[in-house]
Amino acid sequence: MKSTLGKIVERIFKYKKVFVILFMLLVVSVPMLNLSSYIMRILILGGIYMVLTLSLNLLTGFTGQVSLGHAAFYGIGAYTSALLSLKFGYSFLITATCGGIMAAIFGILLGSPTLKLQGSYLSIVTLGFCEIARIIELNWMSLTRGPLGLPGIPTPKIFGFTIEKDRGYYYLVVVLILITIFAIKNIINSRTGRAMIAIREDDIAAEAMGINIFKYKLLAFTISAFFAGLAGSFYAHYVTFIDPQSFTFDESIQILSMVILGGMGSIPGSIIGALVLVSIPEMLRSVQEYRMVIYGIVLVFMMLVRPQGLFGNVNFSKILKRLASNKDGKTEEVGKNA
């Protein structure tokens, strides 16, 4: 007979949709808990970073291309959306779409000549692009106002409804996260996603099997940049003020740290990694002088204890199936690639 744990797991599989619905109801009910505006702000910023981390994970975690310039696409999306809104009065849906498309165009322009590079060479090029983008934003006074930034960015207006309160921003970022997860999950489960994963595992073997590695690398780079641009657009309309200091190389490193902490090639890992690294510095504000030291120690500890990240190399479906089929109730060892 199957163990009690096995029966519980079978119930989970049987009522999987019910659990998903309950989780979504929990997410939707968060603003109704009368949380402080400070906590709501952390949740909203965490949502922005979830989109950024998910998009970078498609490129770095699933395709194996390390980019240190993700903040550049984040900034391009933010400035594009802000300028279209301020100068032409376009609505949020139009400016956000244009912000994502503009970031994707720059992804193609950068990726076309550089994605034939590998390893540290690609990282250096993307790092340089991030600095070039920041310097242009800092010095193009007639367009970006340089260090003065762009104030007065209007709040989003969707189908006649103006979003002004934290509750509205929270629901909007949840929708953005769901769209990002849906898109990336469908890409990964498709033939395109399998080709990207094959490139990550061994690009020479993938090319020998007939996979056009440059095409799929460029596609991953473009899609990743597009969603980073969307996140930047939302950020611009949420804070209503942007300047070059929000899109520096340090921001790229922070996003990459979230990917590494959560787990390379893991969608749940991207979500948890973003939420943890956004909330930890805020939780440590009571020890203001030491919070960044503690933050650094936590990251180093994670790299030493679990370098693959919290959810790296973990396939939850296989683990649950293994538990469900285990008749004597003892969990069998799950290998690295479980």
Side-chain angles (χ1 to χ4, degrees):
M1 294 190 56
K2 289 188 178 180
S3 66
T4 304
L5 180 59
K7 291 178 180 178
I8 292 172
V9 173
E10 279 190 345
R11 291 278 182 91
I12 291 174
F13 271 105
K14 185 176 180 180
Y15 301 105
K16 184 178 178 181
K17 291 183 179 179
V18 175
F19 282 101
V20 171
I21 292 171
L22 290 175
F23 177 75
M24 289 306 302
L25 287 174
L26 176 63
V27 171
V28 170
S29 64
V30 166
M32 302 174 189
L33 301 177
N34 293 323
L35 300 174
S36 67
S37 58
Y38 174 69
I39 295 176
M40 289 298 295
R41 182 177 178 83
I42 292 174
L43 291 174
I44 293 166
L45 289 175
I48 295 172
Y49 279 103
M50 285 177 196
V51 176
L52 289 168
T53 307
L54 285 163
S55 61
L56 182 59
N57 213 346
L58 177 66
L59 178 65
T60 301
F62 289 104
T63 315
Q65 308 304 302
V66 179
S67 171
L68 298 179
H70 212 56
F73 303 115
Y74 180 37
I76 289 168
Y79 270 97
T80 299
S81 188
L83 289 168
L84 287 175
S85 182
L86 288 170
K87 292 184 179 294
F88 301 101
Y90 291 143
S91 66
F92 172 74
L93 291 178
I94 295 174
T95 61
T97 304
C98 291
I101 292 172
M102 184 62 72
I105 290 171
F106 274 93
I108 295 171
L109 293 175
L110 177 64
S112 296
T114 61
L115 283 174
K116 293 181 180 179
L117 302 173
Q118 294 182 353
S120 58
Y121 297 104
L122 177 62
S123 301
I124 291 169
V125 170
T126 54
L127 185 158
F129 175 73
C130 186
E131 281 301 296
I132 290 169
R134 184 187 66 83
I135 291 169
I136 291 174
E137 291 162 2
L138 189 62
N139 291 280
W140 197 346
M141 296 294 295
S142 61
L143 183 67
T144 66
R145 298 182 77 243
L148 299 176
L150 295 174
I153 301 169
T155 55
K157 194 172 184 179
I158 302 175
F159 303 123
F161 295 97
T162 302
I163 297 175
E164 295 178 341
K165 297 182 179 180
D166 287 336
R167 180 179 294 186
Y169 283 110
Y170 174 84
Y171 287 131
L172 185 57
V173 80
V174 166
V175 170
L176 184 57
I177 292 168
L178 292 176
I179 291 172
T180 307
I181 292 173
F182 177 80
I184 291 178
K185 191 173 181 62
N186 278 277
I187 290 169
I188 295 306
N189 291 332
S190 68
R191 181 178 179 182
T192 298
R194 290 192 291 272
M196 291 175 179
I197 294 171
I199 292 168
R200 178 194 67 188
E201 296 300 325
D202 191 330
D203 55 353
I204 296 175
E207 189 173 24
M209 294 176 66
I211 296 174
N212 187 333
I213 59 174
F214 175 76
K215 169 188 169 183
Y216 287 107
K217 283 182 181 180
L218 184 60
L219 183 61
F221 206 78
T222 304
I223 295 172
S224 177
F226 174 80
F227 282 104
L230 282 183
S233 176
F234 179 87
Y235 174 79
H237 288 273
Y238 174 58
V239 300
T240 69
F241 171 83
I242 56 172
D243 67 350
Q245 288 303 114
S246 301
F247 314 108
T248 61
F249 169 67
D250 291 342
E251 195 75 7
S252 292
I253 293 298
Q254 184 174 2
I255 299 167
L256 183 60
S257 299
M258 292 172 180
V259 173
I260 294 171
L261 177 66
M264 305 278 274
S266 170
I267 291 177
S270 297
I271 295 170
I272 299 300
L275 194 58
V276 167
L277 290 191
V278 167
S279 58
I280 283 182
E282 300 301 326
M283 292 167 59
L284 297 174
R285 279 192 179 275
S286 58
V287 285
Q288 181 77 19
E289 296 179 359
Y290 307 103
R291 68 181 183 132
M292 294 312 294
V293 175
I294 298 171
Y295 177 79
I297 290 172
V298 170
L299 286 180
V300 171
F301 178 77
M302 276 300 304
M303 291 300 293
L304 292 174
V305 174
R306 190 168 173 80
Q308 70 270 40
L310 292 172
F311 294 100
N313 296 330
V314 175
N315 188 316
F316 294 101
S317 295
K318 285 186 178 180
I319 291 174
L320 290 174
K321 287 176 182 177
R322 183 74 62 85
L323 290 171
S325 62
N326 189 357
K327 294 183 179 180
D328 56 6
K330 295 180 181 179
T331 305
E332 298 177 14
E333 184 179 355
V334 180
K336 283 187 176 181
N337 295 322

